[in-house]
Amino acid sequence: MFSILEVIIIVLCTIHFAAPLTYYVYMKTFLKKPWNVKLDSNYKPKVTVILPTYNEKEIIEKKLRNFQSQDYPHDLIETIVIDSASTNGTPENVEKWVKKHKDLKTILIQEKERKGKAHALNNALKHATGEIVIIADADAMWSNNAITEAVKWLADPTIGAVSCLKKPEQKGPAEIEQGYRKYYNMLRISESKAWSTPIFHGELAAYRKELLDEIGGFPEHIGADDSHSAVKIALLGYRTITPETLWCTEAIPKKGYHLWRIRRAQHLIQHFLKTGTNKKIPKEFKTILRMETFLHVVNPWLLLLIAVLLPVCAIKGSTLSKIFLVSGLALLMVKSYRTWITQQVHLIAASVRNLKTKEIVWRKDIKYAKKVD
Ligand code: GDD
Ligand code: MN
């Protein structure tokens, strides 16, 4: 009936598309479930906010204002800006701002050499005195209650770390990004409700300081500093969550969108290769961590195999392959399918690029016009 190659194509297609779909449908069932977390809005620990910067002159003031507008008691916030040898006057702008705004304690540390974001975070961590450490990105804005909201969840001792969901700003190639984010955010919430999510966002990631110390700080040889430290904390038995009430906006690069996505994918692949193969995973976390590892590291390659086999078999006269090929191409008209395929291409490119460079020190993308207010 079917040739061996045709059977292989059917099996590959089934695994490639059915595995994520089944996971998505299964995880969605957790959305309706309760959080099983003891919230306490009276819990008000001291918080250290760490902002790493490299050439963020245009946006830095806006971000510092964003910290200042937080509704969390200002005497309980300590901000550490750690700059790694910016060449455009970023630390000078921070100094100027700090002189004018003494109500929020802000420390500026200047590294002489740029050795990457995680290296800078670890440097800042040595100076942190808060019970909770929150890391931030210069180009991602928080809502005014972000610290309050993050801390609220950490009142429960079973929660080790909390991160945000991301909303792309309406600029740049936001169409693909928005399609992808909708599906991505839903998974982050359901994984968190099921137990923990293995993907964190450095735009706002809050950790218990003692747990960061226990795992030895941020990983300096793996790009996804945010997700990797979260999973290490989850492996210690604490929940790592992204509640549906905690959001931030992020700027999308005006140019080089695909390269930006590939670099982030490289970091996630490095992270999953290291954590997903762990032998001791808490039982509630096993399916989530293993499945996300499979989806990031293995599944994209099945699509590539399908893409190679289909035309070969079609040329050999296989009707089934012709039908699959035509439908696969026609489906590109559908946005969610196009978004999926784009993501697979990014992941394959990322795996290949990882062989060449780990992108621990990455290119600064231009995400906004010269002046930001
Ligand atoms: N101090 C310091 N040193 N800061 C740095 C360095 C560095 O070498 N490299 C980047 N940063 C700062 C940037 O200035 C920014 O505030 C933040 O780190 C994030 O860098 P972006 O250039 O905005 O990268 P992104 O938006 O793609 O980052 C996302 O992915 C990263 C991992 O791939 C975020 O989720 C990051 O938090 C995450 O680390
Ligand atoms: Mn960013």
Side-chain angles (χ1 to χ4, degrees), residues 108-124:
L108 169 68
I109 305 173
Q110 289 182 256
E111 292 191 315
K112 286 207 176 67
E113 201 187 329
R114 185 180 181 202
K115 289 187 180 163
K117 182 189 160 196
H119 182 272
L121 292 178
N122 284 335
N123 206 346

Side-chain angles (χ1 to χ4, degrees), residues 274-288:
K274 195 105 187 168
T275 52
T277 47
N278 211 295
K279 292 219 168 57
K280 274 198 193 141
I281 304 173
K283 73 173 189 314
E284 306 92 327
F285 198 37
K286 227 173 228 166
T287 311
I288 297 172

Side-chain angles (χ1 to χ4, degrees), residues 109-158:
I109 305 173
Q110 289 182 256
E111 292 191 315
K112 286 207 176 67
E113 201 187 329
R114 185 180 181 202
K115 289 187 180 163
K117 182 189 160 196
H119 182 272
L121 292 178
N122 284 335
N123 206 346
L125 207 53
K126 291 182 203 145
H127 303 265
T129 60
E131 195 177 313
I132 304 297
V133 168
I134 309 186
I135 59 168
D137 277 2
D139 59 6
M141 297 300 148
W142 299 354
S143 56
N144 294 355
N145 66 347
I147 298 185
T148 308
E149 188 57 38
V151 164
K152 187 178 88 185
W153 295 86
L154 286 159
D156 186 320
T158 65

